[in-house]
Amino acid sequence: MNLRHHGDREATPGLVDLAVNVHPAPMPPWLREAIASSVDDLARYPDPTPAEAALAAHHHRGRSDVLATSGAAEAFTLIARLRPWRRPVVVHPQFTEPDVALASAGRAPEHVILDGGFTLDPAAVPDDADLVVIGNPTNPTGVRHPAAAIRSLTRDGRLVVVDEAFNDDGTESLAGELVAGLLVVRSLTKLWAIAGLRAGYVLGEPTTIAELRDLQPPWSVSTPAAAAMIACTTDEAVTDAKARHVDVEQWREHLERGLDAAGIEHVPSTAPFVLARPGAGVHASLRAAGFAVRRCDTFPGLDDSWIRIAVRPPEVSTKLLEALSARP
């Protein structure tokens, strides 16, 4: 199973991109201006301290609770190297970079595969797991787990890592809570369409954040990325984020209604993508019809009968639904 496969490999030129979960609208003017203005400071080495302070205030946390990272992927790499994990567990299906990071660090992650709607059963996690990684909402299922269920996973001698890269509305988020033994990984690249900038961060207990900081390469977060982090915490950003989230909700409802009408099995989603099960071979047939969707046989717990569809405006989703309905 190719755990390094991601949606960007699907979105090749000439295809309608429904594989990458980046908001289709361009970055807003205030964000573009902040990034462009930061170019004047490129002669100096980057300093993420002001960005971390802004992110901490945004989540009503202490400054020492935040570590800025080069995207969420760097956070998983640092976490994998944080301890000599004895029994790391990744709850699947979910984003596979935690698996890759652990394997690169010489750790063999164990999988807890969720079924029955892909909802979390805390009892399924082994009692002696010292690292547990889970997404919320989860990529690729779109399922959002109760914060209380995730909080219940914490215990002495265990670190619980929650990937909140797609938690754009704050529902069931643990980002604003200081919970012993819990790290929250966040990303700014999806909602604001800045995937190429690599802007993420980790929230957690100050001692754990300090240990992660010691593992981080110097100047890991670029000056433009730090500027984007600050800009995305402003009142204007909060207002625009709510508007973007409303758009995504409406677009997702249109897509899910279309899947229902076509009789295609899918998982009710709370994310900017929908996991659907139109059957084996559909991924290839959609590519032949001009549509790139995310194959799902690279996610533990799924097979090639599943595809992940990025949420797009209705006129785009309607064309995809027509292509699905036109299958023999």
Side-chain angles (χ1 to χ4, degrees):
M1 180 175 288
N2 182 9
L3 297 180
R4 287 188 177 273
H5 183 85
H6 298 299
D8 59 322
R9 297 190 185 182
E10 309 270 7
T12 50
L15 299 180
V16 178
D17 178 13
L18 298 166
V20 177
N21 297 316
V22 170
H23 197 284
M27 72 175 75
W30 51 263
L31 180 53
R32 182 177 295 276
E33 180 180 348
I35 294 170
S37 297
S38 74
V39 172
D40 293 335
D41 295 326
L42 290 184
R44 294 191 292 269
Y45 283 93
D47 177 12
T49 304
E52 290 171 342
L55 291 166
H58 179 68
H59 290 289
H60 308 289
R61 303 278 296 251
R63 160 67 183 81
S64 56
D65 291 359
V66 184
L67 175 68
T69 59
S70 179
E74 186 194 26
F76 294 126
T77 297
L78 298 175
I79 292 165
R81 297 169 53 210
L82 182 63
R83 304 268 191 276
W85 304 112
R86 300 182 312 278
R87 193 176 186 184
V89 169
V90 182
V91 180
H92 277 289
Q94 81 141 27
F95 185 52
T96 54
E97 278 305 309
D99 286 81
V100 172
L102 284 162
S104 295
R107 310 297 167 192
E110 182 175 334
H111 294 165
V112 169
I113 305 295
L114 301 180
D115 52 18
F118 304 112
T119 56
L120 173 64
D121 175 9
V125 177
D127 287 339
D128 60 346
D130 56 349
L131 175 68
V132 179
V133 184
I134 185 168
N136 202 38
T138 305
N139 173 18
T141 66
V143 172
R144 194 179 305 239
H145 310 294
I150 295 175
R151 202 182 296 110
S152 74
L153 293 172
T154 60
R155 61 195 62 187
D156 289 342
R158 172 187 289 177
L159 183 65
V160 176
V161 178
V162 189
D163 178 3
E164 291 192 0
F166 293 102
N167 193 321
D168 297 324
D169 64 351
T171 302
E172 303 297 343
S173 173
L174 289 164
E177 298 185 30
L178 180 59
V179 179
L182 181 79
L183 288 178
V184 177
V185 178
R186 306 275 297 193
S187 173
L188 299 173
T189 61
K190 281 76 173 175
L191 181 66
W192 299 117
I194 51 173
L197 197 59
R198 313 311 306 137
Y201 55 101
V202 187
L203 299 156
E205 295 174 279
T207 53
T208 307
I209 292 297
E211 290 173 325
L212 291 172
R213 193 183 306 279
D214 287 342
L215 292 172
Q216 190 176 39
W219 313 298
S220 179
V221 176
S222 71
T223 296
M229 293 175 188
I230 295 171
C232 289
T233 65
T234 63
D235 291 342
E236 188 172 18
V238 171
T239 299
D240 281 2
K242 290 178 181 177
R244 287 195 173 209
H245 179 69
V246 169
D247 285 342
V248 168
E249 281 192 322
Q250 294 174 347
W251 300 345
R252 186 178 62 236
E253 289 172 2
H254 174 82
L255 173 60
E256 292 185 322
R257 284 196 301 268
L259 292 170
D260 284 333
I264 296 174
E265 178 186 352
H266 63 92
V267 180
S269 177
T270 64
F273 48 81
V274 176
L275 180 66
R277 197 176 197 178
V282 173
H283 175 271
S285 67
L286 286 175
R287 287 190 70 84
F291 296 91
V293 295
R294 173 65 157 89
R295 58 182 280 200
C296 288
D297 58 335
T298 62
F299 291 105
L302 300 178
D303 57 30
D304 63 356
S305 66
W306 295 92
I307 58 173
R308 190 193 68 195
I309 307 168
V311 170
R312 296 289 188 260
E315 59 271 20
V316 179
S317 294
T318 296
K319 292 179 181 178
L320 172 75
L321 292 165
E322 291 171 351
L324 284 169
S325 298
R327 290 178 299 129

